[in-house]
Amino acid sequence: MKSSPFRYFGKKQIILTVIIFAAIFFGPVFSYAEKLTIDRFISPETCGDCHSTIYSQWQNSMHHLSHNDPLYVAVSRYMLSGLTDSEEIAESESCVKCHTPVGNITGYPEKTSDDRTKVPEIATKGIQCDYCHSATGADKIFNNGLILSPGHGQDDPGTKRGPFKDASSDYHESAFSAFHTEAKICGTCHNVSHVSFNTKLETTYDEWEKGPYNNTTDEKQKITCQGCHMYQRPGIPATASTPRPLNKGKAADDGPLRDHIFTHYFIGANTVVPTNFKSTEKRDMAIERLTNSANLALDTLKIKEGKLVIIVTNSGAGHYLPTGLTDVRQMWLEIVIKDEKKNIIYSTGKLDKDGYITKGAIIYNTVFGDGKGKPVLNISKAREILKDKRIPPKESVREEIVFQKKNIKQLTISVKLLYRSAPQELIDLVFGKGKDILPVITMEQIKTTIKISNVRLGFCMYL
Ligand code: HEC
Ligand code: HEC
Ligand code: HEC
Ligand code: HEC
Ligand code: HEC
C-alpha cells in the first residue's frame, strides 16, 4: 500500500506545519541577518570631543581594555588550545560577548577563535561609550543580555540614554533612562554563567542583589554599583567604609554645571593592566580601593592556649570580597609570629622563591571542579564549584590558628591581608615562567607585640 507521510493531515495543516518549521529553523537566520552593522557605532573619540573629562577617565580603564587585556587574551588562547569536548568549546567561544561587545553584536568577532587582526578598529576599544549609552534595557541579568538601539553613525547619532531628565545637545538626542541608574545595567555582564554547564563563574551582581546594600528599607543605606564605582576619583576611593561625596562638574565641556557627574574610571582591584598601558593613576586608584575594602582584628583571648583568632571583615565592598573572577583572584592572610628572640614560631601565607603561595595558606577564593571532584584551572571545563571561601558584604570571618606554646616571654604578631590579580602559577603558565611577576597589594595589616607578663596572671605558667 502506497502511503504519503502526510496522509493524516489536510492541506491547511501541512501549510501551517511548513510555516512553523520554517519559523523554527530559519528564525535564527533571519535574526542573524538583522545583526547591527558596525557603522552604527560612533567611536569613543568622537564622544570625547565634547565629553573630554569622562573620556579621559574611561581611557585605559578595564572597560576600554577589555578586548586587549593581555591576561584575557592569553587565558582565552590557553583555553582554546587542546579542547575536545564540544560543550567546553561552546563556553570558550563565548568570551567576546562581553570582552568585545561592539564586535560581537555586529558580527565580528562572532567567536573568540576568530582572527583577532580582522576585528574592526572600533570594536577593539572594548566596552565603550556608545555601547552602554545605546542600551535600552536587558532581557537577562547574566551573560550580557543588553538590548541596544544605537543610531546610524556620525551623521545620525540617535538617542544617548543617561541619568538626566533635562540634558540637551545639538549633536544627539538625549533621554532619561532609569535603567542606567540601576545596578542591573552592570549586572548583565557582571554575572557570568557557563553556557553549557550553567556553572556560576562570576556572581558579582547576585552577591550585591542579595546583600545589605540592596536589601534595606533605609534608602540612605542603599548603594548601587554606580554608587561606589562611579563616585571614585583620585583621592576619593568611594567604598562603603569611606565617604562618597558628590562630584560637582560638567557632563559635557559646554554643558551646565551639575551637582553630580558619575565618574567613568571603573576601578576594581586590577593594578596590573592599567600599568601595562601606562596608567599609573588608575593603578593608584585600584590600590586606594583595595586598601579601603577590609578590616583586620585580633582576638587574643586564648593566646595562652597557643591560639590566635584573626577576624577579617568585608567593610568596603558591595559584594563578596573578593568578587568577579575569584577562581583566579587571590586574597590571603600572611601571618608571622615571633618570640622575644625573633625566632619564628608560626608562619603562613609567605611566597616561595617562584612567587607561589606556600601550601596551607588561608586563601579567599573559589575553586572549580571537572564534575568528578578534580580542580580545574580552565573555566571552560568548570562543571562544579568545589570551594567558595569569600566574605559577604558587611560580614566577618574568624580564622583560628594554633601555634607552639613554649616558654615564651613575648610574642610579636604580624598579620597582613594580601591581594593579587592572579596566581603566579597561572601567569607563568600563560606567559612563560618568570616573564611577568605580579605585584602583591597589602590591603590591611596589623603588627603588635604582646608581653606575656602584661597579660593575665598565670599566663606564663600556662604557656
Ligand atoms: C558575561 C560577561 C563575560 C563573559 C561571557 C566573559 N567574561 Fe571575562 N570578565 C568579565 C568580567 C565582568 C570580568 C571582570 C571581573 C573581575 O574583575 O574580577 C572579566 C574578567 C576576565 C579576566 C581577568 C582579566 C584580568 O586582567 O584580570 C579574564 C582572564 C577573563 N575575563 C577571561 C574570559 C574568558 C577566557 C572568557 C570566555 C571563556 C570570558 N572571560 C568570558 C565578563 C565576562
Ligand atoms: C559600562 C557602561 C558605560 C560606559 C562604557 C560609559 N558609560 Fe557613561 N554612564 C554609564 C552609566 C551607568 C551612567 C549613569 C550612572 C547613574 O546614573 O547611576 C553614565 C553617565 C554618563 C553621562 C551623564 C553624566 C554623568 O557622568 O553622570 C555621560 C555624559 C556619559 N555617561 C558619557 C559617557 C562617555 C562619553 C563615555 C565614553 C568615554 C561613557 N559614558 C562610557 C555607563 C557607561
Ligand atoms: C557635539 C558635542 C557632543 C558629542 C560629540 C557627544 N555629546 Fe553627549 N552630550 C552633549 C551635551 C552638550 C550634553 C548635555 C550635557 C548636560 O546637559 O549636562 C550631552 C549629554 C549626553 C548624555 C546624557 C544624557 C542624559 O539624558 O542623561 C549622554 C549619556 C551622552 N551625552 C553620551 C554621548 C555619547 C555616548 C557620545 C558619543 C557617541 C556623545 N555623547 C557625543 C554633547 C555631545
Ligand atoms: C558589556 C559588558 C559590561 C557592562 C555592561 C559592564 N561591565 Fe564592568 N567589566 C566588563 C568586563 C568584560 C570587564 C573586565 C575587563 C578585563 O578585565 O579584561 C569589566 C571590568 C570592570 C571593572 C574592573 C574590575 C577590575 O578587576 O579592576 C569594574 C570596577 C567594573 N567593570 C564595573 C562595572 C560597573 C559599575 C558597571 C555598570 C555601570 C559595569 N561594569 C558594566 C564588562 C561589563
Ligand atoms: C559599597 C561599595 C561597592 C558597591 C555597592 C559595589 N562595589 Fe564593586 N568593589 C568595591 C570595592 C571596595 C572593591 C575592591 C575590593 C574587591 O576586589 O572586592 C570592588 C571591586 C569590584 C570589582 C573587582 C573585583 C576583583 O577583585 O577583580 C568588580 C568587577 C566590581 N567591584 C564590580 C561591581 C559591580 C558590578 C557592582 C554592582 C553589582 C559593585 N561592584 C558594587 C566596592 C563596591
Side-chain angles (χ1 to χ4, degrees):
M1 189 176 74
K2 284 213 165 157
S3 69
S4 146
F6 297 115
R7 68 186 185 280
Y8 300 117
F9 299 105
K11 231 182 190 168
K12 269 187 192 158
Q13 280 164 305
I14 292 172
I15 292 168
L16 197 70
T17 313
V18 169
I19 292 173
I20 291 169
F21 265 76
I24 292 170
F25 285 117
F26 297 110
V29 178
F30 291 147
S31 63
Y32 176 73
E34 277 169 19
K35 260 201 184 267
L36 299 172
T37 49
I38 192 87
D39 57 8
R40 293 188 61 177
F41 287 91
I42 298 164
S43 82
E45 285 68 31
T46 304
C47 312
D49 283 345
C50 302
H51 299 285
S52 62
T53 311
I54 292 177
Y55 175 84
S56 68
Q57 295 169 347
W58 167 86
Q59 196 181 24
N60 289 336
S61 68
M62 294 306 291
H63 281 162
H64 178 192
L65 299 172
S66 63
H67 171 79
N68 284 326
D69 175 340
L71 185 58
Y72 159 69
V73 175
V75 167
S76 46
R77 276 211 187 109
Y78 163 74
M79 267 185 188
L80 289 168
S81 62
L83 280 185
T84 45
D85 189 301
S86 63
E87 290 181 321
E88 289 158 9
I89 290 171
E91 169 58 21
S92 60
E93 287 290 9
S94 69
C95 317
V96 285
K97 222 176 175 240
C98 298
H99 286 265
T100 320
V102 168
N104 184 250
I105 202 174
T106 56
Y108 206 90
E110 276 243 287
K111 296 175 179 171
T112 312
S113 53
D114 287 341
D115 184 354
R116 283 178 62 86
T117 63
K118 300 212 171 88
V119 178
E121 202 212 338
I122 185 169
T124 64
K125 292 173 187 171
I127 300 148
Q128 47 192 280
C129 322
D130 212 13
Y131 187 77
C132 283
H133 288 291
S134 296
T136 55
D139 57 13
K140 57 179 189 213
I141 308 301
F142 64 97
N143 291 2
N144 192 354
L146 285 181
I147 301 164
L148 293 209
S149 174
H152 292 85
Q154 301 275 8
D155 301 333
D156 178 11
T159 304
K160 304 305 155 215
R161 293 168 172 82
F164 301 140
K165 293 192 167 125
D166 60 347
S168 98
S169 134
D170 298 339
Y171 177 58
H172 58 71
E173 297 291 319
S174 298
F176 169 73
S177 158
F179 180 62
H180 282 75
T181 68
E182 293 165 5
K184 283 195 188 113
I185 191 174
C186 317
T188 184
C189 293
H190 285 269
N191 260 351
V192 190
S193 287
H194 194 293
V195 292
S196 312
F197 310 147
N198 295 326
T199 318
K200 296 202 164 180
L201 302 171
E202 288 184 30
T203 52
T204 305
Y205 176 79
D206 289 348
E207 294 155 20
W208 170 85
E209 193 192 32
K210 60 177 196 287
Y213 298 105
N214 182 35
N215 296 295
T216 165
T217 44
D218 182 356
E219 284 301 317
K220 279 195 192 129
Q221 297 292 318
K222 277 197 181 171
I223 317 177
T224 56
C225 315
Q226 294 91 323
C228 283
H229 289 280
M230 297 184 79
Y231 272 66
Q232 183 170 10
R233 54 251 197 213
I236 300 175
T239 67
S241 58
T242 53
R244 293 174 298 105
L246 291 175
N247 177 44
K248 219 180 167 92
K250 286 181 175 183
D253 301 348
D254 58 359
L257 194 64
R258 293 183 180 269
D259 289 343
H260 179 68
I261 304 299
F262 289 89
T263 62
H264 283 67
Y265 298 95
F266 300 110
I267 303 292
N270 204 312
T271 57
V272 187
V273 176
T275 314
N276 275 346
F277 290 83
K278 312 241 177 314
S279 179
T280 51
E281 182 190 54
K282 291 193 176 63
R283 174 201 62 199
D284 295 346
M285 289 171 75
I287 295 173
E288 281 188 320
R289 181 153 281 272
L290 279 169
T291 50
N292 288 290
S293 298
N295 282 336
L296 280 179
L298 300 182
D299 175 349
T300 54
L301 221 63
K302 286 188 183 165
I303 203 124
K304 58 186 178 182
E305 294 165 33
K307 285 180 186 157
L308 172 69
V309 178
I310 296 147
I311 302 144
V312 192
T313 305
N314 175 351
S315 55
H319 31 67
Y320 281 29
L321 193 63
T323 190
L325 203 71
T326 42
D327 61 311
V328 167
R329 309 295 183 220
Q330 289 186 318
M331 182 174 101
W332 77 101
L333 286 172
E334 183 199 276
I335 308 162
V336 180
I337 305 178
K338 291 180 184 166
D339 66 11
E340 64 279 6
K341 289 178 202 132
K342 296 206 164 76
N343 294 320
I344 294 173
I345 55 171
Y346 182 92
S347 167
T348 180
K350 284 275 183 190
L351 297 183
D352 68 13
K353 62 172 184 10
D354 293 319
Y356 302 174
I357 301 174
T358 45
K359 264 209 162 99
I362 301 165
I363 304 188
Y364 304 92
N365 65 351
T366 45
V367 177
F368 296 126
D370 64 353
K372 295 178 201 128
K374 199 175 144 239
V376 288
L377 209 56
N378 187 337
I379 52 164
S380 68
K381 294 176 191 286
R383 287 173 189 257
E384 60 186 331
I385 297 166
L386 294 178
K387 170 192 168 193
D388 185 355
K389 183 182 166 70
R390 297 179 296 146
I391 313 169
K394 283 193 181 169
E395 288 187 25
S396 304
V397 290
R398 293 170 67 86
E399 309 291 353
E400 186 180 86
I401 61 145
V402 180
F403 56 90
Q404 266 194 318
K405 31 172 190 165
K406 285 192 229 135
N407 278 333
I408 299 162
K409 296 196 186 69
Q410 182 179 295
L411 291 172
T412 304
I413 303 169
S414 157
V415 182
K416 285 182 185 168
L417 183 67
L418 303 173
Y419 177 95
R420 74 177 164 193
S421 289
Q424 191 59 44
E425 291 90 319
L426 177 70
I427 300 301
D428 287 354
L429 183 72
V430 298
F431 294 117
K433 198 162 161 72
K435 285 263 161 65
D436 210 341
I437 305 295
L438 281 190
V440 174
I441 311 299
T442 303
M443 296 172 68
E444 199 64 37
Q445 59 183 321
I446 292 186
K447 202 165 179 182
T448 180
T449 301
I450 300 178
K451 280 214 164 46
I452 304 305
S453 52
N454 283 353
V455 189
R456 277 186 255 146
L457 202 69
F459 183 83
C460 277
M461 275 167 56
Y462 235 105
L463 208 69

